[in-house]
Amino acid sequence: MQEIAFTLTEPEQAELSFADFKKLVLRDYRIAVESRQTSILGRKEALTGRAKFGIFGDGKEVAQLAMAKAFKKGDWRAGYYRDQTFAFATGISNVTEFFAQLYAHPDIEHEPSSGGRQMNSHFATRSINEDGSWKNQVEMKNSSPDISTTGGQMARLIGLAWASKFYRENKELAAMDKFSINGNEVAFGTIGNGSTSEGIFFEVINAAGVLQVPMAVSVWDDGYAISVPSKYQTTKEDISEVLKGFQRDEKAEGFEIFKVPGWDYPGLCETYEKAAEFCRTEHIPVLIHVTELTQPLGHSTSGSHERYKSKDRLKWENEHDCLLKMRSWMIDSDLANAEELDELEAQAKLYVRDCQRKALDNLREEIQVEKEQTVKLIRDLVSVSEQQKALETLMKLVENVVDLGRKDLVSIVRRSLWLTAGTSSPERDMLLRLYQQENEKNAVRYHSRQFSNTPHSPLNIAALLPVYAENAKPIDGREILNACFTANFTRDPRIIAFGEDVGAIGDVNQGFAGLQEKFGSFRITDTGIRESTIIGQAIGLSLRGLRPIAEIQYVDYLPYAMNVLMDDLTTMSYRTFGGQIAPVIVRTRGHRLEGIWHSGSPMGTIVNALRGMHICVPRNMTQAAGMYNTLLRGDEPALVIECLNGYRLKEKLPANVGDFTVPLGKAEILKQGKDITIVSYGSTLRLVQEAAIELEKMGISAEIVDPQTLYPFDLDQLCASSVKKTNKLLVVDEDVPGAASAYILQQIVEKQNAYYYLDSQPRTLTAKDHRPPYGSDGDYFSKPSIDDMIEIVYEMMGESKPDQFPKIY
């Protein structure tokens, strides 16, 4: 037969014989058919109730085959939850693991992407070894962990691509050969056409064009976003038309934009080969608009697309199904005949069914062992209990459940223990022991790895006190930070800082002043006003072994990045069951600045929304420096909120400014006292300390506790120990009522059991319900003042000693 000069981007062969070419194409078609059958069977499993929900990649199979061919070891993916064909073709996942995820198997041996924590089609590779060390990424095909929020995958994509540019341009990183080979890696992103309406999509596209990074974005365009057609989504109903202004030309940098039908197998292979080569060699971002796709099974198991698509549209989709088109092309090209393809499709169907059964059996076998153990122990209890009839009824419930889950078994055990409460027997003790053992196992299955919990966790960094020279003179707080950053950037070439005004002027408060000149514009750099992609850049860099400090200029601007922080960064370790970590440090500043838009204390929002990050609230710049030293030696994400009014306050420079550490979760008593415990943090602490001086004059001895970090909060329970001594508790916070103060009360009164020691109602002193108006008067009347603090403490003391502290008003 004739030689076919069609590489299909197979790196081992420049040319393929017809026989080899046929083999490759048939292999691809087999993967695509298996993927389609996986979608069909997965949908049935969800609709029959065996799985909770299903979302699938049907209709996108052929385009994803082409993308997989361009995807090499060392590359990264930040994708859409319809990329199952790509995952199968690259080996990132397989059909059995897909069904294990569909059934929520909480075991990374069976479901390595998330340990059953994410719904199906949410893929992730495992970058971290059990000891917390990095795997060799250049020997892997890498996928960052998917999220369900539409467009949410885009933010980290820019960082994954930017990392390649760093590795290519910064020769100091040459030794980090586990993460890059001269920056030759491409970051592949995928997104549905409907999600291109999201602001994050445009923010990322703009940032990639500015940064000129090797990012390849595929838009899967099937004309709909659930039921909403493109005419309601996109100007001109065509995203690549909208983005034409980003097309690069001879005069300006920008994107290469490609457009190709999603059913054209050879056209897709050629397009992806060309697009990826642009990215890889020239570090130019590309966009591949894959059009004329279909979605034959509808959006998900939540509904049918027949409800909103016309008969003409459904007819067109049937005719343009990518598998049907690829099959016809193979027959027309004499690559296969109908009988061969019929046999291949039949084998694929059987294979998928076998994988599904294997995944289900693996989970059922585990639960069956647990069921037998549970039933035996309850039977033993029946034989000695007066609740025999009720216990036998519970046992029948266990035996009659068709798809028994762990929740069913644990619920039966709990109810058996309820029934026999107040009785004592060896049989009940055995059942109780089983319940306790299962609680421990389920805590690992469902609650573990919110943080890395590796030996490199910042919680394991030993505390090292600052050391001062005898002649140390007070300097501005900003100079303490500057010295800290200088020492750390010198120590570790992986550290990078970026944000608005960080580079040229050294940030608005001069913490990075002069550092760009010292360390170069790659390591200390400015960004545009785009908070979401600033955080996304940091996530992507950290996934690839770098240590980013991402600056959000003021804490008031943090909400503009909140979706990326909440959905992606804070859940990274948890949703991959510790398989990936992103040790991002977000640096910002806030608190007592005046005015509605710069009041800067939305701490309740932050501490409730960002579980999964350490929340650091240093009271001064020395404490902030110690926290940075700790975090930069650890492997977990954190937010550090510096006191905005502290940069020019005087502090002494530690001689070990780049080495001393402030441990996380460790509170500190700033002033000993015996009458009342006052807990506060950040800028408000200075006002509390001033109020305490006036209170002493009134005969009131206040003990002041600084928690230093809100998450984790006071691990040694110093607050409760203080309340045990004083029997009174006041929480001072400049957030709105019931926000961070409520969280702090819950931690002290409930978690630390301080309610045992209180002889009066615990109180909070907070800002008003609204944001502070501009000006010093607005601040005084809207946020806790020294006068407010003195009066509330005086009032609390008067409750128990009215003669000594009579009412003022």
Side-chain angles (χ1 to χ4, degrees), residues 32 137 219 374 433 740 756 764 774:
Q137 295 181 2
V219 178
T374 301
R433 191 170 299 116
Y756 283 120
T764 65
Y774 176 64

Side-chain angles (χ1 to χ4, degrees), residues 205-221:
I205 293 295
N206 182 57
V210 169
L211 293 171
Q212 288 292 281
V213 291
M215 182 181 90
V217 179
S218 296
V219 178
W220 307 140
D221 189 350

